[in-house]
Amino acid sequence: MSVEFLGDWRRTHYSSVVTPDLDGVEVTVFGWIQDIRDHGNIIFLTLSDKEGLIQITGTRRNTPPEVMEKMKSLSRQSAIGVKGVVSARVEAPRGVEVIPREIKVLGLASHPLPLDPTGRVHAEIDVRLDARILDLRRPEPRAIFKVRHKVVSAIREYLDEQGFIEVHTPKIIATAAEGGAALFPVDYFNSRAYLAQSPELYKEELITVFEKVYEIGTYFRAEESHTRRHLNEFISVDVEEAFVDYGDVMKLQEDLLAYVLRKLSDECMDQLNILKVNLPKIVLPLKRYKYSEIVDQLNKNGYRLEWGEDLSTSAYRVLGKIHRNEFYFIIDWPTETRPFYVKPKGDSSQTCEAFDLMYEWLEITSGGSRVDRKEQMVERLRKQGLDPANFEFHLKTYDYGMPPHAGWGLGLDRLLMALLRIGNIREVVLFPRDRFRLTP
Amino acid sequence: MSVEFLGDWRRTHYSSVVTPDLDGVEVTVFGWIQDIRDHGNIIFLTLSDKEGLIQITGTRRNTPPEVMEKMKSLSRQSAIGVKGVVSARVEAPRGVEVIPREIKVLGLASHPLPLDPTGRVHAEIDVRLDARILDLRRPEPRAIFKVRHKVVSAIREYLDEQGFIEVHTPKIIATAAEGGAALFPVDYFNSRAYLAQSPELYKEELITVFEKVYEIGTYFRAEESHTRRHLNEFISVDVEEAFVDYGDVMKLQEDLLAYVLRKLSDECMDQLNILKVNLPKIVLPLKRYKYSEIVDQLNKNGYRLEWGEDLSTSAYRVLGKIHRNEFYFIIDWPTETRPFYVKPKGDSSQTCEAFDLMYEWLEITSGGSRVDRKEQMVERLRKQGLDPANFEFHLKTYDYGMPPHAGWGLGLDRLLMALLRIGNIREVVLFPRDRFRLTP
């Protein structure tokens, strides 16, 4: 079978708009063959396009013989175009079918395929990721990425509405300034540079110009840990605002979450049904647990933790059991557990104005009030073993009038995991990058 | 002078909403001191916030003496909060001023500043970029980045409306597959990886799942050339669509351009006035000049070019003079001048279904129909000296039913240059990256 040219064929209808009231109308549809059932005098071909499925029904009586021949010999997942007439028929799926007059073969699939994109045969995640494009044609991944698109656009809508401006900060940076965290080195002409792990310092500087900024961008973390909730390349939603503190941006975070949930329940019910998930329910304001209360909760539940220690994965797992189906904040962390730019509390420098937004055991967002005085910044850098000289450009901006400010970074991939109750971050990323996977 | 805590102060009004009809109302405003004029019994302080300027007027009669003292001793560009009462007064700028009752110093500026953010003193681009945060407080850069935000959101609005889905593809890739172009190497754990210079192959693959995809992301090009229109890190708007050809996506491109222009003229007149620019005017459809016509135009204008040669910077400069104030397409390029994934024309493989959207001498967008047959792809790769083995994952997707498709990549920074008639790309990027600049 040979492939044909598109020529002057153009789509007139997507599957979703081919409804029984178009009975008798000629349409042109495009898509991928999901299934073919050949009953001799009648052939049913299910065509899949970005909006759903449509049945193409060839019959010996109504369909030209060469079209019947073509239908028989096509391979599943081939891309085709179909010109035909809509027929309302109660027995057909969705009460409608297309009687083909002409079929164009636009891209042939070669069998055997590495996996079955109808999803009838289970495949392990690595097999699926190796043939990711075919895997994505299953209904569930398609639904996940439509939801993801909606989440991102809802976030932008909300932040734009609140007067935030979207910015683009550099992803290649000169120094591994933030120390502790592992950065990927880049050969930048004749010097060594690094991939940014967050827009933190840039966004803090930019609030002295635009007051309310956000960025949705790709960041990189060279951590070796290989888990179900970490990737080495990820999308972060970063927000920063002037003249506010962490309480204000926590409110912004929870209002945004409520907005996203509302948008999804208004506009993504089809996708949520395919994924068989009910959205998490939230009541605002979300609970705010102090770190010290979390320590108590853990100790009461048999997990020993001393005040001042950071939470380990196993501590988070216990928390997840205590806070089932719950979005909540953990606030007022020990200063030592947080990066140098988080502001210690006025009354006690032992704790700082930091928060995490959690869903069960998963950290979604980290944020806080920021250090806004140069001397305190220099002191904090030194305490964390960092050299203030490496922060020359950033420290200079403190001489230009640095007001109080606060912000947060939200892991977009993590948020998707929480909203859709998905256990592995690789399910919500098109082409995930981890220590062992750089392809496809 | 010491800095105070924010405490319970919260902004009640931005400068733009402090209008004469608020006469007598108490407001809290925040911002940076633009100017102070001390006339003894009366002190005028101009406060700048993200929305504009507001005059704070301290008088010996109405303002507490300690507030008057504070006003006198503050340095320009310091961040402050002002609680006071609005007074409608025709002599004041915009007919309104705030009589301060209390002032909080929230971030002090240390003088001398490296440049004057009121823009009264001219500074060279490198001086400005070294103190970029201060430079951005000038009215013009603020206006540029507000327009940029609006352009990006208009692009998303339009593409979402047309049924496109936004995707995120990897920025770290395993092989320097596309050969010719210079890629930045990354140390990826124990192997060598590269920074993506475009989402080209990923977006082409993804149209077999979602049919219409776009991505607005950061890409990297390790080219050594140091010009006013190239950066090594840039934002690209990439679009790809199934079952269409280059004519369809050119139409999409020009309709999108018209939409963006309309949005800007509806919503950014203030910014355009600050920048003293009139938006370019376009009439659809834009002119489509064949490459062969462009060769003729150049030769007629004294620039010698043989059919088949790519256009040099000096050729583009001549074109810019021929096509003043014009957005136009150059189509049907010699196949040899284009990447392996651009589809040769059916009738003659010498030319291909490629186009560029130009503004005067500036290339804004490159696009085309794509090679959609595996054998032709392998042949094109070999002809360009590339090894098909390096494209294993991409070629495999041709076995899953690859339909005809087309798309383009638009340089966001270039588009801003064209819309705002700005000669240096560094003006439209917050923190530009070039061969010699990795900071701030």
Side-chain angles (χ1 to χ4, degrees):
Chain A
M1 168 140 329
S2 68
V3 178
E4 292 150 279
F5 283 106
L6 183 62
D8 60 356
W9 279 40
R10 287 297 176 276
R11 185 202 309 267
T12 60
H13 294 74
Y14 283 101
S15 63
S16 62
V17 297
V18 179
T19 47
D21 53 295
L22 288 184
D23 190 48
V25 172
E26 186 178 273
V27 296
T28 303
V29 291
F30 288 113
W32 287 261
I33 299 170
Q34 197 70 2
D35 209 0
I36 304 171
R37 280 167 300 135
D38 178 2
H39 298 288
N41 287 334
I42 186 162
I43 304 175
F44 298 110
L45 184 157
T46 316
L47 196 66
S48 158
D49 70 11
K50 82 183 180 75
E51 309 208 339
L53 300 172
I54 174 103
Q55 180 170 293
I56 313 297
T57 308
T59 62
R60 209 166 286 284
R61 181 200 303 240
N62 295 315
T63 309
E66 68 278 12
V67 174
M68 288 295 273
E69 278 313 301
K70 229 180 210 175
M71 287 178 81
K72 275 183 204 173
S73 56
L74 284 164
S75 54
R76 279 176 299 114
Q77 297 303 319
S78 294
I80 64 170
V82 178
K83 260 190 195 169
V85 174
V86 176
S87 166
R89 205 171 62 93
V90 282
E91 301 83 11
R94 297 172 43 230
V96 72
E97 61 190 6
V98 172
I99 312 298
R101 285 194 176 148
E102 218 181 319
I103 288 183
K104 266 200 190 195
V105 183
L106 296 168
L108 276 174
S110 305
H111 287 239
L113 297 171
L115 55 80
D116 173 14
T118 63
R120 281 180 293 230
V121 182
H122 174 78
E124 293 302 323
I125 183 92
D126 270 317
V127 173
R128 289 172 40 210
L129 292 176
D130 283 340
R132 185 58 159 161
I133 281 298
L134 211 48
D135 175 55
L136 289 169
R137 286 194 207 157
R138 293 185 304 116
E140 293 80 7
R142 273 184 208 258
I144 288 171
F145 290 97
K146 279 184 193 166
V147 170
R148 187 176 163 114
H149 170 75
K150 186 53 72 180
V151 168
V152 175
S153 77
I155 289 172
R156 284 208 177 83
E157 243 171 63
Y158 189 77
L159 293 174
D160 288 355
E161 187 58 40
Q162 300 299 312
F164 283 81
I165 181 171
E166 186 174 5
V167 296
H168 300 117
T169 65
K171 304 297 169 267
I172 301 184
I173 54 174
T175 50
E178 298 187 30
L183 299 180
F184 287 113
V186 181
D187 293 351
Y188 194 79
F189 300 108
N190 295 319
S191 61
R192 167 133 290 201
Y194 300 89
L195 292 181
Q197 63 158 352
S198 94
E200 184 62 34
L201 304 186
Y202 288 110
K203 69 177 180 169
E204 289 194 43
E205 296 167 11
L206 287 169
I207 58 93
T208 74
V209 180
F210 303 110
E211 298 188 44
K212 294 171 141 197
V213 299
Y214 75 95
E215 178 162 15
I216 302 182
T218 303
Y219 295 93
F220 310 90
R221 209 174 283 159
E223 270 163 26
E224 303 212 343
S225 58
H226 187 78
T227 80
R228 290 159 64 87
R229 68 184 199 283
H230 290 96
L231 288 174
N232 297 101
E233 184 178 328
F234 57 95
I235 303 287
S236 176
V237 178
D238 273 275
V239 160
E240 199 74 21
E241 184 172 356
F243 305 113
V244 300
D245 68 18
Y246 73 143
D248 301 294
V249 294
M250 269 191 274
K251 178 155 188 339
L252 176 76
Q253 167 65 94
E254 66 188 359
D255 288 345
L256 172 62
L257 178 64
Y259 184 82
V260 167
L261 285 167
R262 216 154 49 232
K263 272 273 161 177
L264 293 186
S265 71
D266 286 352
E267 299 178 22
C268 288
M269 281 320 289
D270 288 351
Q271 285 73 38
L272 295 170
N273 287 335
I274 289 169
L275 296 169
K276 299 187 183 69
V277 285
N278 298 313
L279 289 173
K281 298 211 181 335
I282 62 170
V283 178
L284 297 192
L286 297 179
K287 287 254 176 65
R288 284 143 169 81
Y289 300 103
K290 290 192 173 158
Y291 166 86
S292 54
E293 295 175 75
I294 293 291
V295 172
D296 290 347
Q297 289 176 8
L298 284 170
N299 283 314
K300 260 182 217 150
N301 281 270
Y303 186 91
R304 281 198 55 82
L305 189 83
E306 298 277 332
W307 195 99
E309 291 178 68
D310 210 343
L311 303 190
S312 64
T313 300
S314 45
Y316 280 120
R317 285 292 188 186
V318 175
L319 272 187
K321 281 176 195 146
I322 304 172
H323 299 278
R324 276 248 191 274
N325 302 325
E326 188 189 348
F327 276 103
Y328 58 104
F329 288 112
I330 305 179
I331 67 170
D332 297 354
W333 288 74
T335 309
E336 296 279 294
T337 64
R338 293 282 143 157
F340 62 88
Y341 47 77
V342 179
K343 188 182 198 164
K345 288 193 80 137
D347 49 350
S348 144
S349 62
Q350 294 299 300
T351 56
C352 62
E353 299 191 353
F355 70 90
D356 281 358
L357 172 68
M358 304 288 304
Y359 178 71
E360 296 187 341
W361 70 289
L362 205 59
E363 310 155 69
I364 310 289
T365 300
S366 272
S369 309
R370 316 304 190 181
V371 173
D372 52 48
R373 295 171 194 205
K374 193 174 187 173
E375 318 77 63
Q376 190 175 32
M377 187 57 135
V378 170
E379 186 199 315
R380 292 275 291 140
L381 284 168
R382 291 222 171 93
K383 265 203 184 147
Q384 299 214 351
L386 297 168
D387 182 357
N390 287 334
F391 294 81
E392 183 200 346
F393 278 104
H394 186 60
L395 287 170
K396 263 204 266 181
T397 62
Y398 283 72
D399 295 334
Y400 309 155
M402 176 63 81
H405 58 287
W408 41 257
L410 173 155
L412 179 66
D413 313 319
R414 294 273 185 97
L415 178 61
L416 264 290
M417 290 175 73
L419 295 174
L420 302 179
R421 326 268 175 127
I422 285 173
N424 192 333
I425 195 166
R426 288 160 189 77
E427 302 277 357
V428 302
V429 173
L430 288 170
F431 301 100
R433 290 293 180 255
D434 62 37
R435 197 175 156 197
F436 306 107
R437 180 174 288 281
L438 252 176
T439 51
Chain B
M1 168 140 330
S2 68
V3 177
E4 292 151 279
F5 282 106
L6 184 62
D8 61 356
W9 279 40
R10 287 297 176 277
R11 185 202 309 268
T12 60
H13 295 73
Y14 283 101
S15 63
S16 61
V17 297
V18 178
T19 48
D21 53 295
L22 288 184
D23 190 47
V25 173
E26 185 177 275
V27 296
T28 302
V29 291
F30 288 113
W32 288 261
I33 299 170
Q34 199 69 2
D35 208 1
I36 304 172
R37 281 167 300 134
D38 178 2
H39 298 287
N41 287 332
I42 186 162
I43 304 176
F44 298 110
L45 184 156
T46 315
L47 196 65
S48 158
D49 69 12
K50 81 183 180 75
E51 310 207 340
L53 300 171
I54 174 102
Q55 180 170 294
I56 313 296
T57 307
T59 62
R60 209 166 286 284
R61 182 201 301 242
N62 295 315
T63 309
E66 68 277 13
V67 174
M68 288 294 273
E69 279 313 302
K70 230 180 209 175
M71 288 178 81
K72 274 184 206 173
S73 55
L74 284 165
S75 53
R76 279 176 300 112
Q77 296 304 319
S78 294
I80 64 170
V82 178
K83 262 190 193 169
V85 174
V86 176
S87 166
R89 205 169 64 92
V90 282
E91 302 84 9
R94 297 170 43 230
V96 71
E97 62 191 6
V98 172
I99 313 296
R101 285 193 176 148
E102 218 180 320
I103 288 183
K104 265 200 190 194
V105 183
L106 296 168
L108 277 173
S110 305
H111 287 241
L113 297 171
L115 55 80
D116 174 13
T118 63
R120 280 179 293 230
V121 182
H122 175 77
E124 293 303 323
I125 182 91
D126 270 317
V127 173
R128 290 172 39 211
L129 292 177
D130 283 340
R132 185 58 159 160
I133 281 296
L134 211 48
D135 175 54
L136 290 170
R137 287 194 205 156
R138 293 185 304 116
E140 294 80 6
R142 274 183 207 257
I144 289 171
F145 290 97
K146 280 185 192 166
V147 169
R148 188 176 162 113
H149 170 75
K150 185 54 73 180
V151 168
V152 175
S153 77
I155 290 172
R156 283 209 177 82
E157 244 171 61
Y158 189 77
L159 294 174
D160 287 355
E161 187 58 40
Q162 301 298 311
F164 283 81
I165 181 171
E166 185 174 6
V167 295
H168 301 117
T169 64
K171 304 296 168 269
I172 302 183
I173 54 174
T175 51
E178 296 186 34
L183 298 180
F184 288 113
V186 182
D187 294 350
Y188 194 79
F189 300 108
N190 295 318
S191 61
R192 167 133 290 200
Y194 300 89
L195 292 181
Q197 63 159 349
S198 94
E200 183 63 35
L201 304 187
Y202 288 111
K203 69 176 179 169
E204 289 194 43
E205 297 167 10
L206 286 169
I207 58 93
T208 74
V209 179
F210 303 110
E211 300 189 44
K212 295 171 139 195
V213 299
Y214 74 94
E215 178 162 15
I216 302 182
T218 304
Y219 295 94
F220 310 91
R221 208 174 283 157
E223 271 163 25
E224 304 212 341
S225 58
H226 187 78
T227 80
R228 291 159 63 86
R229 68 185 198 282
H230 290 96
L231 289 174
N232 297 101
E233 184 179 327
F234 57 97
I235 303 287
S236 176
V237 178
D238 273 275
V239 159
E240 199 73 22
E241 183 171 358
F243 305 113
V244 299
D245 68 17
Y246 74 143
D248 301 294
V249 294
M250 268 192 273
K251 178 157 188 338
L252 177 76
Q253 167 65 92
E254 66 188 359
D255 288 345
L256 172 62
L257 178 64
Y259 184 81
V260 168
L261 286 167
R262 216 154 51 232
K263 272 275 160 174
L264 293 186
S265 72
D266 285 352
E267 299 178 22
C268 288
M269 281 321 289
D270 289 351
Q271 286 74 36
L272 295 170
N273 286 336
I274 288 169
L275 296 168
K276 299 187 182 69
V277 285
N278 297 313
L279 289 174
K281 296 208 183 335
I282 61 169
V283 178
L284 297 193
L286 298 178
K287 288 255 177 66
R288 283 142 169 82
Y289 301 102
K290 290 192 174 161
Y291 165 87
S292 55
E293 296 174 77
I294 293 291
V295 172
D296 290 347
Q297 289 177 8
L298 285 169
N299 283 313
K300 260 182 217 150
N301 282 270
Y303 186 91
R304 281 198 53 83
L305 189 82
E306 299 277 332
W307 195 100
E309 290 179 69
D310 209 344
L311 303 189
S312 64
T313 298
S314 45
Y316 281 119
R317 287 292 188 185
V318 176
L319 272 188
K321 281 176 194 145
I322 304 173
H323 299 279
R324 276 248 191 272
N325 302 325
E326 187 188 349
F327 276 102
Y328 59 104
F329 288 111
I330 305 179
I331 67 170
D332 297 354
W333 289 74
T335 308
E336 296 278 294
T337 64
R338 293 282 142 159
F340 62 89
Y341 46 77
V342 179
K343 189 182 198 164
K345 288 193 81 136
D347 49 351
S348 145
S349 62
Q350 294 300 299
T351 56
C352 62
E353 299 192 353
F355 71 91
D356 281 359
L357 172 68
M358 303 289 303
Y359 178 72
E360 297 187 340
W361 70 291
L362 205 58
E363 310 154 71
I364 311 288
T365 301
S366 271
S369 310
R370 316 302 189 181
V371 173
D372 53 47
R373 295 172 194 205
K374 193 174 185 174
E375 319 76 64
Q376 190 175 33
M377 187 56 136
V378 170
E379 186 198 315
R380 292 275 290 140
L381 284 168
R382 290 222 172 92
K383 264 202 183 147
Q384 299 213 349
L386 297 167
D387 182 357
N390 287 334
F391 294 81
E392 183 201 345
F393 277 102
H394 186 60
L395 287 170
K396 262 204 268 181
T397 63
Y398 284 70
D399 295 334
Y400 310 154
M402 177 62 83
H405 58 286
W408 42 257
L410 172 155
L412 179 65
D413 313 318
R414 293 273 184 98
L415 178 61
L416 263 291
M417 290 174 73
L419 295 174
L420 301 179
R421 327 269 175 126
I422 285 173
N424 191 334
I425 196 167
R426 288 158 189 78
E427 301 277 358
V428 302
V429 174
L430 288 170
F431 301 100
R433 291 292 180 255
D434 62 37
R435 197 174 156 197
F436 305 107
R437 179 173 288 281
L438 252 176
T439 51

